[in-house]
Amino acid sequence: MTKPVILTGDRTTGPLHIGHYAGSLKSRLEMQDSHEQFLLLADTQALTDNANDPDKVRRSVLEVALDYLAVGIDPAKSTICLQSHLPALAELSMLYLNFVTVARLERNPTIKDEIRARGFGRDIPAGFLCYPAAQAADITGFRATVVPVGEDQAPLIEQTNEIVRRVNAVAGQSVLPEARAVIPKAGRLPGIDGKAKMSKSGGNAIALSASPDQIAAAVRAMFTDPGHLRVSDPGRVEGNVVFTYLDAFDEDHTEVAALKEQYQRGGLGDGVIKRRLDGVLQALIGPIRDRRAELARDPGYVLDVIRQGTEVARARTQDTHRALVQALGLFRL
């Protein structure tokens, strides 16, 4: 039986953090046995807002690949590949730009939010604005039907399917499949400051390679309830980053629910819940950090994984491009 195809990936702008783990890495681990999975090291996409620092993008390719392998992605089950070395994706991106308008790109909620967050105004890099078409190329290039994404990324999958339907209509046949977004239960994690999403550039993230001291310091600094001044005071769990992270990472949901009730009644200090979270995160990150350090001692192995995966991905994406060109009746020599 043919397995469903998953495409997922990350921008190569630095090591991954626990927000990535909660957001989609955990789903990727669970699905790599039941699906044909491709993980895209999105270095071309990373350049859309990092063109002034290509060295960071280059260095981060191995960093992200190390994180994939360290969390348990098995290259015998999942294909890790490099976006910039898949020319068919660039060709599909250019093709799809003819099937979408600038106005529609600008209306995409994800793009609007990211433009606002980065303060681009009207000085938007063209590559960044056109990202929905490029992502459509990534997804359809692998003929993926399942895409694990955060809730904020769901509009990009919707726009991918719009492009797919338009291309199929012009071709007069279902040459491209539509994709379904899989949104993790944990949702989008806030940063440790509670003010924005966790991000590498925002300085409010906990890396999957964080040391014990770094984890402890991050937990101590976490936003809780500013009105919870004394242990006896009733506290709020809504917007309390510590409880948000406990919901995402603590597997003893019954105990977390009991802690919430006690915190809301009063009689539970922030130090208690922070110590519990510190223990949970140390147990999660410690083995990942150790595996990562071991893998980093053999960069040749990591490069071989990327090379071999990219060869597999190149054949898949070129087949898709060839089939689409033929279906559309474009001129071929």
Side-chain angles (χ1 to χ4, degrees):
M1 182 179 296
T2 303
K3 294 181 178 180
V5 179
I6 287 183
L7 176 70
T8 183
D10 293 281
R11 289 155 45 91
T12 56
T13 55
L16 303 183
H17 52 66
I18 61 171
H20 293 108
Y21 184 86
S24 63
L25 277 176
K26 194 173 181 181
S27 297
R28 301 176 204 181
L29 290 172
E30 294 168 351
M31 292 180 171
Q32 66 178 349
D33 288 315
S34 57
H35 293 69
E36 183 183 9
Q37 182 166 240
F38 293 89
L39 285 86
L40 191 64
L41 298 164
D43 57 336
T44 303
Q45 185 201 132
L47 284 170
T48 60
D49 59 340
N50 286 277
N52 63 327
D53 193 1
D55 187 56
K56 178 179 76 170
V57 175
R58 179 190 58 78
R59 293 193 316 269
S60 298
V61 168
L62 283 181
E63 296 288 340
V64 176
L66 277 169
D67 285 326
Y68 285 164
L69 296 171
V71 299
I73 295 297
D74 184 348
K77 300 176 180 178
S78 298
T79 302
I80 299 174
C81 51
L82 187 59
Q83 186 180 39
S84 62
H85 284 51
L86 302 175
L89 297 184
E91 294 175 14
L92 287 171
S93 296
M94 287 299 298
L95 182 60
Y96 293 166
L97 285 172
N98 297 297
F99 291 89
V100 65
T101 66
V102 171
R104 178 64 182 94
L105 292 170
E106 290 179 329
R107 287 198 308 272
N108 187 294
T110 303
I111 297 301
K112 287 172 66 175
D113 288 347
E114 294 291 345
I115 288 172
R116 190 181 306 113
R118 287 166 169 77
F120 283 146
R122 292 302 301 169
D123 293 324
I124 310 164
F128 192 89
L129 179 63
C130 297
Y131 169 55
Q135 187 177 68
D138 296 340
I139 294 169
T140 60
F142 291 94
R143 297 181 177 270
T145 56
V146 180
V147 185
V149 291
E151 189 173 359
D152 59 313
Q153 299 288 308
L156 293 170
I157 311 304
E158 294 173 12
Q159 191 156 9
T160 290
N161 289 335
E162 289 177 15
I163 292 172
V164 165
R165 288 191 287 271
R166 190 165 180 195
V167 169
N168 285 344
V170 172
Q173 56 181 291
S174 295
V175 63
L176 299 174
E178 293 191 27
R180 174 174 60 90
V182 175
I183 300 173
K185 294 178 182 177
R188 186 176 183 175
L189 282 183
I192 63 173
D193 52 11
K195 295 180 180 179
K197 73 173 182 177
M198 182 178 287
S199 70
K200 292 174 278 191
S201 59
N204 60 356
I206 302 175
L208 289 173
S209 55
S211 70
D213 287 345
Q214 289 171 330
I215 296 168
V219 173
R220 285 196 301 270
M222 278 185 184
F223 180 85
T224 53
D225 174 8
H228 187 243
L229 302 177
R230 294 177 295 273
V231 172
S232 58
D233 291 339
R236 289 175 55 84
V237 300
E238 298 82 5
N240 186 319
V241 174
V242 177
F243 278 114
T244 300
Y245 284 24
L246 284 172
D247 283 337
F249 300 109
D250 195 324
E251 295 183 357
D252 192 341
H253 303 300
T254 301
E255 180 61 22
V256 172
L259 289 171
K260 286 182 178 179
E261 290 180 8
Q262 187 178 356
Y263 192 81
Q264 290 172 313
R265 288 196 311 267
L268 183 64
D270 288 341
V272 174
I273 58 172
K274 286 186 174 184
R275 282 193 294 274
R276 182 178 183 89
L277 178 61
D278 180 65
V280 169
L281 293 181
Q282 297 285 2
L284 170 69
I285 294 175
I288 296 173
R289 181 181 60 243
D290 293 345
R291 285 196 297 271
R292 194 183 195 280
E294 183 178 352
L295 288 161
R297 289 193 284 271
D298 189 2
Y301 167 73
V302 181
L303 280 171
D304 283 344
V305 167
I306 298 172
R307 286 193 187 102
Q308 292 167 16
T310 300
E311 286 299 316
V312 172
R314 186 177 296 120
R316 171 66 62 91
T317 54
Q318 286 176 340
D319 283 347
T320 300
H321 180 262
R322 190 179 303 113
L324 184 55
V325 167
Q326 182 175 350
L328 290 172
L330 301 181
F331 191 89
R332 299 183 69 187
L333 292 175

